[in-house]
Amino acid sequence: MMSSFTRSQPVNKNKVFILNRSEIEKRLDPDYYHLERRFEIDRLKKSKHPLSSLKLTASFSKITLSENLDNLPYIGLEDIESNTGAYSNSSQKESFRTALYFKKGDVLFPKLRPYLNKVHLAEFDGICSTEFVILNSKKVSTKFLSAFLRSSIVVNQTK
């Protein structure tokens, strides 16, 4: 069965896209309801464990610095190993425009390219790239929080 489609005039022919409904898998935003994301949401809903949102489990810290007066170690995204969160001191950052201050025990979660899964549990006080979000745990151990944020459930939700 062929459906008809009409469009209003005038139309810029370079900006018109026509898709069949089946091509967008019953959704308006194809990225928001990606199949992996939908699978993880369903998995969480079926869990027998109590669930809590991240904003109730952790707080966000955003102490910014424009210079490193205390000569603190600097962590860039390139210094964190994917999937393990292990730190390797590979970048010697002499200067930066803006950096975030973190404390030992904070969790560094990447804002950019979360599919790389570079979640780090800080083992010392330092500063990091603004590519990270700094989380302080309220309800669970930071070791658990960092491990959970590295899990496939979170990676599939954030990528």
Side-chain angles (χ1 to χ4, degrees):
M1 173 182 208
M2 216 43 167
S3 63
S4 63
F5 174 78
T6 60
R7 58 188 165 123
S8 59
Q9 298 295 330
V11 171
N12 180 338
K13 292 180 182 181
N14 294 322
K15 294 183 179 181
V16 174
F17 301 93
I18 300 174
L19 296 173
N20 290 322
R21 184 174 173 187
S22 63
E23 292 177 305
I24 58 171
E25 298 177 18
K26 300 179 185 175
R27 60 183 186 239
L28 296 176
D29 180 357
D31 292 327
Y32 186 77
Y33 289 108
H34 190 277
L35 290 177
E36 285 177 332
R37 183 179 173 132
R38 183 84 256 154
F39 171 76
E40 297 301 349
I41 290 170
D42 292 341
R43 214 169 110 184
L44 285 170
K45 286 180 180 177
K46 291 176 185 174
S47 170
K48 294 178 181 167
H49 302 287
L51 301 175
S52 179
S53 67
L54 184 59
K55 71 179 177 182
L56 296 177
T57 305
S59 60
F60 294 83
S61 173
K62 193 172 183 178
I63 301 170
T64 57
L65 303 172
S66 57
E67 54 186 311
N68 192 355
L69 297 175
D70 296 327
N71 203 24
L72 294 166
Y74 177 89
I75 295 180
L77 198 56
E78 65 277 4
D79 298 320
I80 305 300
E81 185 177 291
S82 290
N83 303 316
T84 67
Y87 168 71
S88 63
N89 187 8
S90 63
S91 64
Q92 295 297 325
K93 196 77 164 172
E94 297 298 322
S95 65
F96 50 84
R97 200 178 271 180
T98 305
L100 297 174
Y101 172 74
F102 63 87
K103 296 180 293 212
K104 180 179 180 176
D106 285 346
V107 177
L108 283 62
F109 184 82
K111 290 191 281 188
L112 303 174
R113 299 184 302 271
Y115 57 87
L116 293 175
N117 201 12
K118 293 187 171 203
V119 178
H120 177 66
L121 175 59
E123 298 168 342
F124 49 81
D125 293 357
I127 57 175
C128 66
S129 161
T130 56
E131 295 173 322
F132 289 101
V133 173
I134 311 299
L135 297 164
N136 315 105
S137 183
K138 293 181 191 176
K139 292 186 174 183
V140 297
S141 75
T142 53
K143 190 172 184 179
F144 174 82
L145 180 62
S146 64
F148 181 76
L149 291 173
R150 261 187 241 109
S151 72
S152 65
I153 288 174
V154 175
V155 172
N156 287 335
Q157 287 292 305
T158 58
K159 66 180 179 180

